[in-house]
Structures are given as structure tokens and as C-alpha cells.
Amino acid sequence: MHSDTKDTSDVTGSRWSPRPAPRLAHVILLAALICYLGITAINLLSQGPSTPELITGLVTLSAVFGLQLLHSRPGADRAAPWSKAATLGAQALLTYLPLAFFGILWGAMAGFLGGSLLLLLPPRAAWPLYGVTGLSLLIPGIIGGMSVVDLVYMCQSTLLTGLVVYGLSRLSSLVEEVYAARAEIARMAVAGERLRLARDLHDLLGYSISAIVLKSELLQRLIRAQHPRADQEVEEVLAISRQALSDVRRVARGYRDMSLVSEVSSAKSVLDAAEVEVEVVLAPAIEKINSQAGTALATVLREGVTNLLRHSKASHCNITAVVDDGTARLTIINDGVVENYHDPSPDSGNGLGNLKQRLDELGGRLITEREKEIPPACGGWFRLVAELPAQAVGRNSAEQSQKIGRINPNGAF
């Protein structure tokens, strides 16, 4: 738990002292209210009132000040209707009754009432009543024999006071709400980064680990009978293991660029070891797509081959990668789909969902189709198609991970 007196950092790395903005907003609001009340108090004193009149005026001003603080507090508009009616009624009485004793000198309090109406009532009712409040001061002004210019000035200053009270009160409430939401925003950012890391680990390591398991099983069968072949498979297992370790480090750093051509070669090696006949078609233009599109398609290829090994009994697989009218397309087709076959591992993952999300972020799409073969010589075919712009541009995950990584673990920015 962090101390209330300790500075923390926001997502941009800047420093701040705890809750300065809400405190400053409250101080500004309080200072504005005191200044308006002070002006009214000075106006009363300038008239040389008797002691009872002065005490009555100051007590009434204090009551108006307390009611205004009540109406300007955050969440005041969510109070019960009867509560708002009672406090607004009390403020209206304290606004208009003293006019009979103090005259137009008390007129500034009508601005407070107008601000309270805007703060507590729905806009359809609040704004007309706010206007009526400002115009209502024409009556004591006309009775007091004020000139037209003074009347206009009085109404305008009253309405301006109401806007200032309303604006500062709303600003204070909004700043309070924003600061209250900061911890939740930080938790959401951390949760999103955890989901990204889990997705990337699944996409990158699922293939490598499946290949290690497959080749290890093959080694068990070859170790006695074919030593040269066993040595080759051991070398490939070591290479895949090193690649898996490298993938983990890339995910941790946020850099995940992969080559589709290299992944096709690796996938063919794994499928050959699994005794799956592979046909590969790579258009020359596929090497010219940008790194984001290439990495996305390489990730799709890894997941597709992983699913083939874990969820089917394939004997044939076709891998095609082409570029058509600015769209890069990867197609993986395999047979061996078995109706009741499923991955026996406890957690089969959510690889296709991760791929759809990844491609959506780059403006692409993922298509999966399953076709039954009649007669069921191979159990049916499964087609996985990934399409996205050849020069896809998405969010920079590395920059986002660096920003999110600076979030305070206690939930503050």
C-alpha cells in the first residue's frame, strides 16, 4: 500500500503529488463563493446598518453559503427529489425575503440560486428557471428607481454569477470523478496487458512446444533403429527449444516480428516429422509484405499447424500464401478431421479467438471452414484462411507495453 504523501508516476512518466487537482478545484470554488459573499457583506456594511440588521444579514449570508456548498458538492444532483426541493426552497426564501430589508444590495444572492438550479435540476427545467431568476431582479430594481443601464447590468451580473457558480461546481465534480476513476483505468490497462501477454505466449509457444513433443515421441521410436536420423531429430528439437526461448524473450520485450517464409520452412519440417504430406505454394510477392502483416500471417501459420497436430489425424496439408490486389492471404488446408476427436490436454486454449483479435486489429479477417468428405476416406477437410492488407498498420504493441509497464502496481498512475 502506498502512502498518501508519496509521489507516483502516471502512464507518461510525469510526477504528481497526490490529489492536487481535486483539492485545487475545491479551493478555487470555495474562494469564488467567499468572494461573492464578501462583496455582498461589504455592500451591506457600506449602508451603515444597525447591529441587529448586520447580524441578521451575516447570519443569512452564512446560511446561503452553507446551502451553496451543499448544492455544489459532487453528486448533489443525485440526491432524493424531496431533499433537493427542500434545500432549493430554503435557498429561494433566503434569496428573495432579504430583498425586502436590504434592497438590491442583496441581488447577488440570486446568482447563487440560479447556479443551484442548474446544478440540481434537469436541463429542461433548470435553464428556463435560471433565466427567470435573473429577470426577477428587474422588479426590485424598477421599484428602487434604477436606470435602464443599471437594470441591464444587474440582470447580466446575476446571470454571470450563476454561470460561474455552476461552471466551477461542475468542474470540481468532474475532476473528482476523473481522479476516482484513475485506479480503475490502471487496473483495466494492466488486465489488458496481461491478456496480450497470454495471447502472445499462446500464439508463439503453442507451436514450438507441440513440435518438441512430437519430435520427442519420434525420437523414442528412432533412437535404437536409426541413429543418424535420431541425431538429426535431436538437432531439430534443440533448434525448436532455442526458438521457444527466443520467443519468450521477444514477448517480454514486446518485439514479435517473424518471417512467414521461415515459419513455412519450420512448419514443413514439423509436418514431415509427423508423416504429413505437405504441399507449399509461396508467391514471390509474399516476401514484400511489411513486418506487421508478415508476423501476423506467421502467427496464423503456427497456430494452424499446432491445431492440425493437436486436433486432427491429418495425412495431407496444403499451405498457400499469395498477395492479390494489395491483400495478403494465407490458406491452410488439411484432411484428417475426425468428428469425435479432440485434444486430450486439460486446456486446449483459445488460439483461433486470439488470431481473430490479432487480425481485426490490422484490418484483416480469419475464415474457418469444415467440409465432410463423402465417402469419409479421410474424415473431412478443414480450411483456415487469413486475409489482411499487405501493408497492414496496427497499434504499436511495443510502445503500449512500455507505457503500461510504467503504471504503479498499487493501481495509481
Side-chain angles (χ1 to χ4, degrees):
M1 181 177 298
H2 62 280
S3 169
D4 289 339
T5 61
K6 182 179 179 181
D7 286 355
T8 50
S9 299
D10 64 10
V11 290
T12 62
S14 61
R15 309 293 293 179
W16 61 280
S17 56
R19 298 178 54 80
R23 186 177 296 116
L24 180 60
H26 294 325
V27 169
I28 292 174
L29 172 62
L30 186 63
L33 296 180
I34 292 175
C35 287
Y36 278 116
L37 291 171
I39 292 173
T40 301
I42 292 173
N43 290 334
L44 294 178
L45 289 172
S46 67
Q47 299 301 310
S50 63
T51 301
E53 290 176 341
L54 179 60
I55 293 176
T56 301
L58 294 178
V59 170
T60 307
L61 280 175
S62 299
V64 172
F65 180 69
L67 286 171
Q68 191 59 59
L69 289 180
L70 183 67
H71 294 160
S72 295
R73 78 188 192 281
D77 58 327
R78 295 190 293 270
W82 66 266
S83 176
K84 292 190 288 187
T87 56
L88 282 175
Q91 188 172 5
L93 291 176
L94 294 176
T95 297
Y96 290 109
L97 288 181
L99 287 173
F101 300 96
F102 302 111
I104 203 62
L105 297 176
W106 195 261
M109 296 301 98
F112 279 34
L113 177 61
S116 295
L117 291 170
L118 294 177
L119 288 169
L120 299 186
L121 299 182
R124 288 186 177 181
W127 287 103
L129 290 175
Y130 161 76
V132 170
T133 300
L135 295 176
S136 66
L137 292 186
L138 292 174
I139 297 174
I142 293 173
I143 294 175
M146 297 179 65
S147 66
V148 174
V149 174
D150 289 337
L151 287 174
V152 173
Y153 171 77
M154 182 179 59
C155 292
Q156 182 268 342
S157 62
T158 299
L159 294 174
L160 178 60
T161 300
L163 286 178
V164 170
V165 171
Y166 170 70
L168 290 178
S169 300
R170 286 295 298 143
L171 176 62
S172 179
S173 299
L174 290 174
V175 171
E176 187 73 31
E177 291 174 5
V178 168
Y179 265 66
R182 291 168 69 256
E184 182 62 26
I185 293 172
R187 284 192 291 271
M188 292 175 62
V190 172
E193 178 63 6
R194 287 173 177 168
L195 289 175
R196 183 200 68 80
L197 183 61
R199 182 192 69 187
D200 290 345
L201 285 175
H202 177 278
D203 292 344
L204 291 172
L205 295 185
Y207 166 83
S208 300
I209 294 174
S210 296
I212 291 172
V213 172
L214 176 65
K215 287 185 174 291
S216 298
E217 292 175 349
L218 180 60
L219 280 174
Q220 286 182 327
R221 300 195 299 267
L222 296 176
I223 198 67
R224 297 192 189 91
Q226 300 182 35
H227 291 289
R229 176 71 185 280
D231 289 340
Q232 178 186 349
E233 295 298 332
V234 168
E235 288 294 330
E236 293 189 6
V237 168
L238 290 174
I240 295 172
S241 302
R242 295 188 185 101
Q243 181 63 45
L245 179 59
S246 175
D247 290 340
V248 172
R249 290 171 176 167
R250 283 208 304 270
V251 170
R253 291 195 306 265
Y255 305 123
R256 302 182 304 279
D257 289 349
M258 296 188 298
S259 167
L260 177 59
V261 176
S262 298
E263 290 303 320
V264 168
S265 177
S266 177
K268 188 175 186 307
S269 172
V270 172
L271 292 174
D272 286 340
E275 299 181 353
V276 177
E277 183 180 345
V278 185
E279 295 182 13
V280 177
V281 177
L282 288 181
I286 204 67
E287 298 183 10
K288 298 180 181 180
I289 64 178
N290 69 4
S291 60
Q292 283 190 308
T295 298
L297 293 182
T299 304
V300 172
L301 178 60
R302 281 195 173 192
E303 182 63 25
V305 173
T306 300
N307 287 343
L308 182 154
L309 296 174
R310 296 172 63 183
H311 302 291
S312 73
K313 297 181 178 179
S315 59
H316 296 82
C317 177
N318 297 331
I319 301 174
T320 305
V322 298
V323 178
D324 184 16
D325 292 333
T327 298
R329 182 182 300 106
L330 173 68
T331 304
I332 306 172
I333 304 174
N334 67 274
D335 64 354
V337 178
V338 180
E339 184 70 28
N340 297 323
Y341 181 80
H342 64 89
D343 180 22
S345 61
D347 182 8
S348 59
N350 187 31
L352 293 180
N354 291 341
L355 295 180
K356 289 180 180 179
Q357 180 180 355
R358 183 186 295 271
L359 293 176
D360 286 343
E361 292 176 354
L362 296 175
R365 62 173 180 165
L366 185 73
I367 305 171
T368 57
E369 298 175 341
R370 182 174 177 179
E371 300 177 1
K372 293 183 178 180
E373 182 172 301
I374 301 176
C378 63
W381 291 84
F382 181 80
R383 178 182 289 104
L384 176 69
V385 181
E387 296 180 344
L388 77 167
Q391 303 301 321
V393 177
R395 293 179 300 177
N396 192 324
S397 300
E399 291 182 0
Q400 290 201 1
S401 65
Q402 290 171 0
K403 290 183 179 179
I404 295 173
R406 288 194 290 269
I407 293 176
N408 188 284
N410 294 312
F413 286 87

